[in-house]
């Protein structure tokens, strides 16, 4: 029996072949919190009947079902591939590096059509029995990554799903040895694309990728369940750089409104020389929106610069993930 609290909870993830069709979890992630829930739309019959003071219980109907919520976790050196693929859109096969145990995943920005997940969570009763809630047709609508001085690299994924299936068998969770990426491994580079140089003074970075989608595709003949959401607006990439004012490089870019490439990377332990655990976000063109330095007392000047990710006309944004995972 599991512990009858959040200590006994689990979260399993698998990529779906067909939108909304359950696939048993193949990866189990360690998460910090989640808010995935079934959302139902109901309608109540309200016909007038002499002497009836309350609506009839058996004349309330469920007209639509869908799933909403978020999943928060630390970014680890294993088991992140399926979530990254659902966010970025490219179909990814990990590429073995030479004959080593290191595999590189390159998640390049693309349309997310056909990229849905089954997310199965186990929620413990106080008795220790773990209940199954399998969310199918889960699309990632946004994700925000963040890391600050002394902290872990964290991620928050916003999810839109088709339905909750409570009739599946709860998979037995298994967790490989994993380690989180953290501030001590972090570097930030800017400059000409593919020739970026390291920036000093950076204290915190946040990057958010939003995938706007038509998530209201409810049609007749579908039993109140939605069709797969379709991209209905351009991708939005925004972020912030919190820093000490050690030089004017980013300040000058804000003044000129010139574009620069941004690389945000974490390099962990060696998988097999020379390849190391890697989480890297590459934005080939960003422009700085606001946050020039101001003096607010005796302290070190600490501007927080907001930026927008844009298309440089040639290179798409991407997330590179090097791990020992041979599959997503």
């Amino acid at each position: 029996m599991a512990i009858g609290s959040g200590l006994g909870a689990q979260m399993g993830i698998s990529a779906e072949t067909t939108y909304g069709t359950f696939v048993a979890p193949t990866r189990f992630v360690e998460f910090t919190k989640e808010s995935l829930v079934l959302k139902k739309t109901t309608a109540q019959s309200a016909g007038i009947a002499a002497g009836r003071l309350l609506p009839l219980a058996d004349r309330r109907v469920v007209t639509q079902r869908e799933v909403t919520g978020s999943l928060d976790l630390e970014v680890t050196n294993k088991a992140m591939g399926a979530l990254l693929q659902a966010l970025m859109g490219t179909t990814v096969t990990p590429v073995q590096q030479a004959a080593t145990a290191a595999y590189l995943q390159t998640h390049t920005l693309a349309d997310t059509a056909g990229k849905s997940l089954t997310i199965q969570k186990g929620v413990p009763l106080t008795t220790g029995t773990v209940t199954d809630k399998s969310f199918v047709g889960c699309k990632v609508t946004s994700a925000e990554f963040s890391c600050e001085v002394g902290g872990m690299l964290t991620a928050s994924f916003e999810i839109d799903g088709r339905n909750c299936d409570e009739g599946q068998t709860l998979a037995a969770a298994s967790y490989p040895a994993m380690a989180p990426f953290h501030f001590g491994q972090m570097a930030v580079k800017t400059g000409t694309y593919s020739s970026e140089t390291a920036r000093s003074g950076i204290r915190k970075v946040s990057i958010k990728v939003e995938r706007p989608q038509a998530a209201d595709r409810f049609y007749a003949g579908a039993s109140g369940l939605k069709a797969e959401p379709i991209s209905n607006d351009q991708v939005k990439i925004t972020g912030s750089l919190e820093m000490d004012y050690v030089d004017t490089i980013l300040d000058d870019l804000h003044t000129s409104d010139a574009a620069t490439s941004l690389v945000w990377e974490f390099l962990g332990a060696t998988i097999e020389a020379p390849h190391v655990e890697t989480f890297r976000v590459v934005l080939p063109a960003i422009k700085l929106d606001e946050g020039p330095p101001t003096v607010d007392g005796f302290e070190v000047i600490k501007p927080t610069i907001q930026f927008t990710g844009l298309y440089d006309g040639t290179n798409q944004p991407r997330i590179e993930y090097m791990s020992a995972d041979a599959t997503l």
Side-chain angles (χ1 to χ4, degrees), residues 149 200-206 239-252 254 288-296 299-307:
V149 171
S200 61
I202 304 298
R203 300 177 57 84
K204 180 179 180 180
V205 180
S206 293
S240 63
L241 301 168
E242 184 178 304
M243 57 184 287
D244 283 357
Y245 195 49
V246 300
D247 58 46
T248 66
I249 292 173
L250 296 181
D251 187 23
D252 292 343
H254 171 264
L288 308 184
D289 298 320
E290 58 182 66
T294 58
V295 179
D296 187 24
E299 253 290 5
V300 173
I301 311 303
K302 289 181 166 61
T304 297
I305 299 179
Q306 312 293 327
F307 64 84

Side-chain angles (χ1 to χ4, degrees), residues 164-216:
C164 178
D165 180 355
E166 297 184 1
Q168 299 295 334
T169 299
L170 185 68
S174 61
Y175 304 93
M178 291 189 286
F181 291 102
H182 58 83
F183 181 79
Q185 302 166 331
M186 185 174 92
V188 176
K189 302 175 184 179
T190 63
T192 303
Y193 176 73
S194 78
S195 300
E196 299 88 353
T197 56
R199 296 271 67 80
S200 61
I202 304 298
R203 300 177 57 84
K204 180 179 180 180
V205 180
S206 293
I207 294 178
K208 185 174 185 178
V209 180
E210 299 177 71
R211 307 303 307 257
Q213 296 171 55
D216 58 351

Side-chain angles (χ1 to χ4, degrees), residues 72 83 317:
D72 294 2
L83 285 167

Side-chain angles (χ1 to χ4, degrees), residues 90-172:
T90 295
T91 300
V92 172
T93 299
V95 177
Q96 186 177 19
Q97 304 300 288
T100 70
Y103 290 81
L104 175 63
Q105 301 175 24
T106 303
H107 297 271
T108 305
L109 188 69
D111 187 26
T112 58
K115 300 299 183 296
S116 62
L117 304 170
T118 292
I119 302 178
Q120 184 185 64
K121 75 173 180 179
V123 183
L125 299 172
T126 55
T127 59
T129 298
V130 182
T131 63
D132 158 60
K133 294 188 180 296
S134 295
F135 302 102
V136 296
C138 292
K139 303 278 289 186
V140 174
T141 58
S142 75
E144 184 168 13
F145 303 91
S146 183
C147 186
E148 62 184 334
V149 171
M152 302 292 191
L153 171 60
T154 61
S156 180
F157 291 85
E158 293 292 330
I159 305 293
D160 174 89
R162 188 171 197 247
N163 197 14
C164 178
D165 180 355
E166 297 184 1
Q168 299 295 334
T169 299
L170 185 68

